[in-house]
Amino acid sequence: MNTQSMSARAIKSPQSQWVKNLTESHSWIGVIISPLLFLIFWAGAVTLFYEEVKQWAVVPQFPVALEQNQVPLQQIVEDKLAQHDFDYEEHLMVQMPSEYDPYYKVFSI
């Protein structure tokens, strides 16, 4: 009976060695490719949320005083048009202040 179990082990040995090699190679491939996948997913996340992160970085992270001088919107637009060259065939967009962004923003589109 002892010889039968030895022959059974001898028959299973190449297959179990093959499974062991596959498992070990799978582990090493995972270790090698993980940093590359991390960089790819990180770059994708940065690209996807770029505008939100940029706005978060620019907006002041402190409360804005409410007793600031009130400037009419027309004056803000005229000041911006005087500061920058503006093609009057383009569109002008004015973003109104909100809870998260307490400033007027003027864009030419």
Side-chain angles (χ1 to χ4, degrees):
M1 209 158 177
N2 200 3
T3 55
Q4 287 179 351
S5 64
M6 290 173 107
S7 65
R9 286 185 197 156
I11 293 172
K12 287 186 178 181
S13 180
Q15 189 176 19
S16 67
Q17 185 63 33
W18 183 72
V19 170
K20 182 180 177 183
N21 286 343
L22 281 178
T23 304
E24 191 171 320
S25 65
H26 181 265
S27 299
W28 278 108
I29 290 171
V31 167
I32 292 168
I33 206 165
S34 291
L36 178 63
L37 288 174
F38 174 78
L39 287 174
I40 290 169
F41 293 134
W42 184 79
V46 167
T47 304
L48 181 66
F49 296 112
Y50 176 75
E51 290 299 322
E52 287 83 0
V53 170
K54 186 171 76 171
Q55 183 176 358
W56 172 79
V58 171
V59 174
Q61 302 300 318
F62 53 87
V64 177
L66 295 177
E67 56 273 344
Q68 294 179 356
N69 295 336
Q70 295 292 328
V71 180
L73 181 59
Q74 181 67 31
Q75 183 180 350
I76 294 172
V77 172
E78 288 174 358
D79 290 345
K80 287 297 174 185
L81 290 175
Q83 290 175 3
H84 303 286
D85 292 333
F86 179 71
D87 183 8
Y88 287 96
E89 293 179 3
E90 296 177 6
H91 296 285
L92 187 67
M93 183 178 103
V94 178
Q95 182 178 346
M96 303 302 281
S98 67
E99 178 183 350
Y100 300 107
D101 194 7
Y103 303 107
Y104 287 102
K105 290 184 179 180
V106 180
F107 301 100
S108 66
I109 303 174

